[in-house]
């Protein structure tokens, strides 16, 4: 097929996620390599969101492709009840990467079902019913994960699952209170959370689920002391602490797992995306030894036909090896430093930039109409005039591919990006934001 045929057939026969279907214009991609993609007319695009913040190793990473091919030649599928080398190997590798309180892995197909199974495990382990999660969060689009989600992608599932309770995020930039320090902010949010825990009956709360660093809702980084404080509340009331590392995990923040930035050990970790960089889909729940041992004599009522799929696990083993052999964390910190400097310049130079938030190669630019009032460029949950779509389109016309959510633009490229590439790409953002400034 040529590019036009691909586009016509896809828009005719395929429903695209999270979109009104009329007028969709997907770019047909002919080839991709590293951080770049090319369309059928030879135009080059930079993948500045690593697709859906999952393609950490970039496009066409040969060792991972080879590992998948090798596994294809051995066998493609074995049910979870059989012993499979890539499954065994990946599990050991993951446990070795995780803190010392982790014992076993339960595999899923992706991030949403990782979260669904994490909740189930917490409910079975505690015998409790309630589930806490935050408003500015995205945990997946399936029924349970969609209910766990706090932001508007939850709305089609309402009225929602009984016992799923939402609490407020430590979103310091949008808090009307001026905190003296990060610690003061953390104490404020923790006190509010404990108050809510008490109102909801602490002894019926199975788990608190948080994106360690909120991803698609704006790279909201918790203030110092917040996550250890949540850990303390979980310990005090016997609640299972679940960190959703689907987006933030596997090197994105400069550490293998985002919670390592905050000196905290969760009980369960849901993961997906970066574990295979999307080369084959895979997700899972890392389970603490204590919780895993509970299932030595109690049935684990979780199951998926494709749990620990051999091709996916082979891709996982090769991806984790690639991270290690290529010192990926070092590169994230080096290129991330350049990204941070560029983002700070944007904030100083552009009236439309209210805030920039970044850690490693995980960042967002929050656009406002007015820096002082912090009025968002588009209201929460709405963008009737398609303003954000137009800005993303302007970036696309410069070959800078990313996405927006609410009033934010995301810059989260593959973790292999070089500092020079970061600099080159961020000049495009600078140019487009100058155009946005003129509209204020
Ligand atoms: C933090 C987080 N959790 C869960 C998910 C859902 O993952 P999946 O789309 O693989 O089901 C996502 C997807 O973007 C995510 O960002």
């Amino acid at each position: 097929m040529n590019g036009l045929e691909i586009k016509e057939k896809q828009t005719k026969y395929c429903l695209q996620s999270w979109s009104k279907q009329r007028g969709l214009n997907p770019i047909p991609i002919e080839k991709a390599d590293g951080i770049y993609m090319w369309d059928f007319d030879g135009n080059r695009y930079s993948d500045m969101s690593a697709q859906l913040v999952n393609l950490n190793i970039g496009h066409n990473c040969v060792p991972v492709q080879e590992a998948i091919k090798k596994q294809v030649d051995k066998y493609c599928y074995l049910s979870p009840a059989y012993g499979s080398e890539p499954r065994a190997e990946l599990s050991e590798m993951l446990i070795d990467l995780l803190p010392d309180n982790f014992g076993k892995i339960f595999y899923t197909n992706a991030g949403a079902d990782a979260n669904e199974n994490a909740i189930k495990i917490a409910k079975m382990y505690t015998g409790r019913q309630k589930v806490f999660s935050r408003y500015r969060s995205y945990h997946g689009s399936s029924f349970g994960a969609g209910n766990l989600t706090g932001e508007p992608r939850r709305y089609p599932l309402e009225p929602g699952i009984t016992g799923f309770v939402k609490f407020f995020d430590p979103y310091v930039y949008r808090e009307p209170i001026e905190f003296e320090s990060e610690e003061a902010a953390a104490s404020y949010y923790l006190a509010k959370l404990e108050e809510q825990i008490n109102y909801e009956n602490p002894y019926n709360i199975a788990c608190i689920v948080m994106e360690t660093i909120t991803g698609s809702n704006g790279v909201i980084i918790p203030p110092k002391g917040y996550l250890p404080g949540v850990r303390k509340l979980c310990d005090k009331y016997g609640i299972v602490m679940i960190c959703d590392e689907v987006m933030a995990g596997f090197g994105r923040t400069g550490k293998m797992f985002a919670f390592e930035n905050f000196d905290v050990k969760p009980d369960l970790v849901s993961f997906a995306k970066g574990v295979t960089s999307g080369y084959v889909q895979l997700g899972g729940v890392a389970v603490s030894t204590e919780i895993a041992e509970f299932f030595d004599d109690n049935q684990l009522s979780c199951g998926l036909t494709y749990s620990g799929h051999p091709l996916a696990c082979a891709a996982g083993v090769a991806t984790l090896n690639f991270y290690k052999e290529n010192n990926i964390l070092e590169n994230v910190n080096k290129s991330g430093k350049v990204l941070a400097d560029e983002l700070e310049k944007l904030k100083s130079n552009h009236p439309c930039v209210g805030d920039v938030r970044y850690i490693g190669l995980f960042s967002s630019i929050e656009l406002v109409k007015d820096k002082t009032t912090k009025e968002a460029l588009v209201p929460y949950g709405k963008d009737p005039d398609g303003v954000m779509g137009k800005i993303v389109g302007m970036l696309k016309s410069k070959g800078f591919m990313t996405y927006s959510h609410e009033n934010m633009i995301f810059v989260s490229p593959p973790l292999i990006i070089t500092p020079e590439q970061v600099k080159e790409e961020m000049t495009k953002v600078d140019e487009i934001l100058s155009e946005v400034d003129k509209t204020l």
Side-chain angles (χ1 to χ4, degrees), residues 293-320:
E293 282 175 354
F294 170 81
F295 294 102
D296 285 348
D297 299 305
N298 293 282
Q299 170 155 305
L300 177 75
S301 287
C302 300
L304 295 156
T305 299
Y306 300 122
S307 182
H309 195 291
L311 294 184
C313 289
V317 169
T319 302
L320 298 189

Side-chain angles (χ1 to χ4, degrees), residues 52 110-113 115 138-141 211 215-216 244 246-247 272-273:
L52 294 175
D113 52 344
N115 284 320
Y138 180 70
H139 295 289
S141 82
E211 290 178 71
S216 58
D244 177 341
V246 170
M247 192 176 266
K273 296 193 189 264

Side-chain angles (χ1 to χ4, degrees), residues 33 67 74 76 265 293 383 385 390:
D33 190 35
K74 277 193 203 160
C76 287
K265 293 178 188 175
E293 282 175 354
D383 185 4
D385 301 323
K390 280 180 204 149

